Amino acid sequence: EDQVTQSPEALRLQEGESSSLNCSYTVSGLRGLFWYRQDPGKGPEFLFTLYSAGEEKEKERLKATLTKKESFLHITAPKPEDSATYLCAVYTNAGKSTFGDGTTLTVKP
Amino acid sequence: ETGVTQTPRHLVMGMTNKKSLKCEQHLGHNAMYWYKQSAKKPLELMFVYNFKEQTENNSVPSRFSPECPNSSHLFLHLHTLQPEDSALYLCASSQDGGRNTGELFFGEGSRLTVL
């Protein structure tokens, strides 16, 4: 059974304090790993897709990396507007998507 | 309009009511999904439609009845719900079949409260 585990469950940072979110996965046949951002009361918004180990993607203060067992979402010098829940999902060769529980990030000014 | 639109955004209903959630996508996709999001739980896939045909029903109780009249519209008909069905219901779409990259485009969700 495909499993996705995100840690920590919640993360509180001061503005400018860099950190990383983790997404560990166990799947049979990874086709892609996705990061989404979800603001309260809204639907998830796509951030990145990673397809193979060693791949990295960047967008503003966010950088996503992928290994054969996990993915990290690095946040450099975060701002309060980066506060949101970040969801990780794996997409398999069987065409199935499995989501993690998410990490809720709060950035204090 | 662009993207995925869901209505209503908020719905309060009694356990004996019948209501429907509506989803419309303007992205030219052929796959549409219903997800349930409850507090402290990961997104739960409920139904998948590809080219209007239901391809997945994730053991969802029959009090939830989906309908997909065409590739752009998806409904979720609700009847005799339970309080534990209160949640955010998310509609999503993606490219079809072999072109499916797995990337999902979500609507803003319908917040359902069952009294």
Side-chain angles (χ1 to χ4, degrees):
Chain A
E1 184 180 335
D2 301 329
Q3 288 192 328
V4 179
T5 303
Q6 290 189 246
S7 61
E9 183 177 324
L11 181 62
R12 296 173 67 90
L13 300 173
Q14 286 296 125
E15 184 172 1
E17 179 186 1
S18 302
S19 187
S20 296
L21 281 56
N22 177 263
C23 172
S24 299
Y25 62 91
T26 306
V27 298
S28 52
L30 180 71
R31 196 161 161 182
L33 184 141
F34 299 84
W35 284 98
Y36 292 86
R37 170 190 170 130
Q38 186 173 22
D39 292 301
K42 294 195 172 183
E45 178 185 347
F46 169 77
L47 290 174
F48 302 108
T49 310
L50 300 166
Y51 293 107
S52 57
E55 190 175 359
E56 298 183 353
K57 293 270 179 77
E58 285 190 67
K59 181 179 179 179
E60 296 181 357
R61 295 176 291 282
L62 300 177
K63 183 168 91 171
T65 61
L66 181 66
T67 72
K68 290 186 177 180
K69 295 181 180 180
E70 58 192 348
S71 176
F72 290 94
L73 184 65
H74 306 279
I75 303 176
T76 302
K79 297 183 178 182
E81 53 261 42
D82 294 321
S83 298
T85 295
Y86 291 86
L87 301 173
C88 170
V90 294
Y91 183 63
T92 69
N93 290 331
K96 304 273 186 188
S97 290
T98 302
F99 282 80
D101 289 356
T103 293
T104 299
L105 173 66
T106 304
V107 182
K108 294 290 189 181
Chain B
E1 292 208 45
T2 59
V4 180
T5 305
Q6 289 188 243
T7 55
R9 293 293 316 279
H10 300 273
L11 179 62
V12 179
M13 57 187 290
M15 289 191 284
T16 58
N17 291 158
K18 289 186 180 182
K19 298 284 184 183
S20 296
L21 306 181
K22 178 183 175 182
C23 176
E24 184 174 0
Q25 59 96 0
H26 306 270
L27 299 169
H29 292 159
N30 287 302
M32 296 188 77
Y33 310 75
W34 280 116
Y35 278 88
K36 176 182 179 181
Q37 189 174 38
S38 304
K40 306 289 185 184
K41 286 187 174 182
L43 283 168
E44 299 174 54
L45 179 64
M46 300 175 73
F47 302 102
V48 182
Y49 279 82
N50 277 285
F51 294 96
K52 305 187 299 178
E53 298 297 320
Q54 188 180 119
T55 55
E56 189 158 347
N57 176 336
N58 215 19
S59 303
V60 180
S62 59
R63 56 186 184 270
F64 295 91
S65 175
E67 179 189 359
C68 189
N70 54 60
S71 293
S72 299
H73 293 85
L74 185 64
F75 295 88
L76 188 63
H77 303 300
L78 316 169
H79 61 98
T80 58
L81 295 190
Q82 305 298 313
E84 59 264 30
D85 296 322
S86 299
L88 182 67
Y89 288 85
L90 290 161
C91 173
S93 70
S94 70
Q95 291 182 317
D96 61 278
R99 294 189 293 124
N100 195 344
T101 62
E103 180 183 338
L104 296 169
F105 293 78
F106 286 90
E108 301 223 313
S110 293
R111 171 67 63 185
L112 172 67
T113 302
V114 181
L115 302 177

